[in-house]
Amino acid sequence: MSTIDWAARAADLRPDGRALIDGRRVEAADGQTFAKHSPIDNRLLGAVVRGQAADIDAAVRAARTAFDDRRWAGKAPAVRKKILQRFSEKILAAKEELALLETLDMGKPIQYALSVDVPSTARCIAWYAEAVDKIYDEIAPTPDSALALITREAMGVIGAIVPWNYPMIMAAWKLGPALAAGNSVVLKPSEKSPYTALRLAELAIEAGIPPGVFNVVPGFGHEAGEALALHMEVDAIGFTGSTRVGRRMLDYAGRSNLKRVYNELGGKSAFLVFDDFKDLGRAARTVAGSMFFNQGESCNAPSRVLVHESVAEEFVGLIAAEAPKYAPGDPLNPATELGALVDETQMKTVLGYIDAGHADGGRCVAGGQRARAETGGFYVEPTVFDGIRNDMKIAREEIFGPVMSIIRFKDEAEALQLANSSSYGLQASVWSDNINRAHRVARALRAGTVHVNQYDEDDITVPFGGYKQSGNGRDKSLHAFDKYTELKTTWIRID
Ligand code: NAD
């Protein structure tokens, strides 16, 4: 990796921002585009199709035709498997190009685009491919006079609307199960990170996925996104994004065809450190690494750190010492740990939360400033606030940037009350060397994923999703097939 001159490659890059509908790259029907800039230094990356209802309609029609003529759904599962495996291999073969596009588009460090985003995307596609010819349907217990088959069928046309923080991975979490099950997909990437989705669709076609099965229409949420979520021929929406827009998805479904809506939304995950946990240094390294990974732009970032008052001083000191290791740097430098925030708006939002932390009486023990302004890009230092109360703005709202809040607690009951006092319930973590406490607290935490004495483990094999206003669906694992398949019962009389 160190031998690659990423800056030179970036200078040569001319990404194609046209939509991909029915197997072809196309301009918008009305010819509109928007300018896409890189958050690294605000350079212009190119013009991207600004999809509208007409473009979404063309993509949905292509997807519907492809589904109805069974060019994909009708293939044997083992055949879909082979094609999707090829798709996964092509993603890996294009890893440098895809990683560079991802870094330029949304600002993450190139080392992580290469080591996390590309391989996780490829693994997700391959994993669902490998599963699909190993899943059997069911036969119900019946009397001699009947046979009842319980089968899963592909649902039809799936609309996937995804955010910009892990553009490829979030798309893959929808594409993997939806395509493996035989559906057609129309993907609407975020306007802040459209390029890798478009390249993925090209690679899928090269791998043998028939035209019309996987379409990508870039554009804005209130235009292309809304048109997709309102479309009468879309059977389900797989949405990942903010809770604010997730609410709208339910409204769009209610106003159109009651399409299934699977929302994967925001988080404000609690990280509970008890005084019986001895290795505070490891807990501090873990929480800093997890909080500042991806510039804090992770739905599951452990942004509320709850620590027992008797170990709080020591723990805060350890975290404050960790934070500078994540100093913002040039995302194209392979040594950089923390890159640029996705755009100026996001940077201003994050700086606004830092102001709120000060105004509410928080004590900033690390960071707190914009960084690298001279580059023209949008960087914020890794920031840690001590002395935060759970009712303060920065403890309640998802910041989606590198800002950690530390809250002190007196005992287990208070820790649990604070942890669960959130409208979100995506993830949580409990740190304790007492096995009874670890199990007790893990059970009582209202979150879709609970970590015990770690925060790093993750894999496609386990479900990912939230309680409460963090959403209703589960991405990943075999459970994700539930979202993109219908259950059918077939009763047969036997004479
Ligand atoms: P966002 O809700 O602003 O946008 C997400 C997508 O929805 C984008 O493609 C956007 O164009 C589209 N959109 C916006 N308004 C729309 C509308 N009115 N109609 C239809 N589509 C619309 O979110 P974001 O800023 O892109 O992403 C950050 C959010 O995503 C955070 O809240 C984060 O927690 C969440 N997220 C959740 C998970 C998870 O698995 N739970 C994973 C990653 C990110």
Side-chain angles (χ1 to χ4, degrees):
M1 186 170 78
S2 53
T3 58
I4 296 174
D5 183 346
W6 293 104
R9 286 205 188 179
D12 290 344
L13 204 68
R14 299 283 174 275
D16 186 346
R18 289 174 300 165
L20 198 148
I21 298 174
D22 210 8
R24 285 185 306 276
R25 287 286 205 159
V26 291
E27 301 289 355
D30 65 5
Q32 280 199 71
T33 58
F34 66 93
K36 175 68 185 91
H37 293 86
S38 173
I40 289 178
D41 51 10
N42 212 20
R43 77 178 72 169
L44 180 67
L45 294 175
V48 176
V49 155
R50 181 171 177 167
Q52 305 286 335
D55 309 294
I56 289 291
D57 193 48
V60 173
R61 279 170 196 273
R64 174 57 60 192
T65 302
F67 184 71
D68 287 349
D69 70 17
R70 299 191 61 76
R71 70 185 76 163
W72 179 243
K75 285 195 185 346
V79 174
R80 291 204 301 273
K81 173 179 79 173
K82 273 271 164 241
I83 294 172
L84 288 169
Q85 284 175 322
R86 221 178 297 142
F87 178 27
S88 170
E89 284 158 15
K90 286 189 175 289
I91 293 169
L92 286 179
K95 70 174 186 229
E96 287 162 9
E97 181 201 351
L98 289 169
L100 182 58
L101 274 178
E102 204 80 311
T103 290
L104 288 172
D105 226 1
M106 55 67 68
K108 70 174 65 199
I110 189 76
Q111 65 158 320
Y112 294 119
L114 269 176
S115 66
V116 176
D117 294 76
V118 177
S120 299
T121 301
R123 172 159 158 74
C124 175
I125 301 293
W127 194 83
Y128 285 103
E130 287 152 11
V132 76
D133 65 347
K134 297 167 193 71
I135 298 174
Y136 292 72
D137 286 327
E138 299 163 48
I139 297 175
T142 48
D144 282 353
S145 57
L147 175 65
L149 309 177
I150 304 166
T151 52
R152 284 185 179 280
E153 295 184 348
M155 200 172 257
V157 177
I158 309 300
I161 301 180
V162 296
W164 45 263
N165 60 337
Y166 296 94
M168 271 188 292
I169 298 176
M170 292 304 104
W173 286 4
K174 318 293 183 203
L175 292 170
L179 291 176
N183 297 284
S184 301
V185 176
V186 177
L187 169 64
K188 208 295 282 174
S190 169
E191 59 278 17
K192 300 181 185 187
S193 61
Y195 283 121
T196 47
L198 291 164
R199 273 300 283 146
L200 285 182
E202 282 183 327
L203 296 172
I205 286 165
E206 284 173 26
I209 293 183
V213 172
F214 174 18
N215 310 275
V216 181
V217 181
F220 291 92
H222 65 283
E223 296 172 349
E226 179 168 304
L228 184 58
L230 278 173
H231 204 289
M232 295 298 285
E233 289 291 329
V234 171
D235 298 287
I237 287 284
F239 175 74
T240 300
S242 62
T243 296
R244 181 182 64 82
V245 177
R247 269 180 224 287
R248 290 186 168 229
M249 293 296 148
L250 296 168
D251 177 49
Y252 294 140
R255 282 162 50 200
S256 57
N257 60 346
L258 289 182
K259 55 179 69 66
R260 281 90 175 111
V261 173
Y262 305 109
N263 274 332
E264 306 286 346
L265 309 176
K268 195 76 194 175
S269 299
F271 188 102
L272 287 68
V273 182
F274 287 93
D275 53 343
D276 58 23
F277 186 76
K278 290 293 164 275
D279 192 351
L280 285 182
R282 188 166 73 78
R285 286 192 298 280
T286 302
V287 75
S290 302
M291 179 64 234
F292 300 129
F293 187 72
N294 213 45
Q295 302 71 244
E297 297 165 325
S298 299
C299 51
N300 62 337
S303 51
R304 282 190 306 146
V305 178
L306 312 182
V307 54
H308 190 270
E309 57 187 13
S310 70
V311 292
E313 279 309 319
E314 182 185 355
F315 194 58
V316 169
L318 288 167
I319 292 181
E322 283 297 310
K325 297 179 187 167
Y326 299 88
D330 176 4
L332 293 176
N333 177 345
T336 292
E337 287 288 334
L338 191 111
L341 297 182
V342 73
D343 62 9
E344 187 172 16
T345 308
Q346 186 67 11
M347 182 186 70
K348 286 185 172 160
T349 302
V350 172
L351 292 173
Y353 277 110
I354 291 174
D355 288 344
H358 287 294
D360 285 346
R363 188 166 64 91
C364 185
V365 295
Q369 303 292 330
R370 181 179 182 182
R372 294 171 56 79
E374 70 287 356
T375 62
F378 310 113
Y379 301 81
V380 173
E381 291 173 344
T383 300
V384 180
F385 274 99
D386 187 19
I388 296 300
R389 283 196 328 270
N390 205 43
D391 59 358
M392 290 180 184
K393 185 178 168 77
I394 67 166
R396 302 209 69 75
E397 297 179 15
E398 184 181 49
I399 298 175
F400 229 55
V403 183
M404 181 193 293
S405 297
I406 302 179
I407 301 167
R408 300 172 186 222
F409 65 82
K410 287 188 177 51
D411 56 23
E412 185 180 309
E414 187 187 21
L416 266 173
Q417 186 272 326
L418 290 169
N420 286 335
S421 171
S422 170
S423 56
Y424 296 111
L426 193 55
Q427 299 207 342
S429 183
V430 47
W431 293 68
S432 170
D433 284 336
N434 176 337
I435 192 167
N436 292 304
R437 167 172 279 157
H439 279 288
R440 199 166 55 229
V441 173
R443 279 191 182 171
L445 285 165
R446 304 282 298 155
T449 299
V450 176
H451 304 269
V452 177
N453 296 344
Q454 65 88 39
Y455 208 82
D456 306 322
E457 291 289 343
D458 193 18
D459 193 39
I460 192 69
T461 48
V462 297
F464 188 105
Y467 285 23
K468 299 191 270 184
Q469 292 179 38
S470 289
N472 62 343
R474 291 293 181 273
D475 279 330
K476 309 200 300 173
S477 83
L478 295 181
H479 293 280
F481 279 122
D482 295 345
K483 305 203 296 189
Y484 307 117
T485 52
E486 291 282 17
L487 268 188
K488 176 178 277 182
T489 300
T490 308
W491 278 105
I492 300 168
R493 174 176 152 148
I494 302 178
D495 288 329

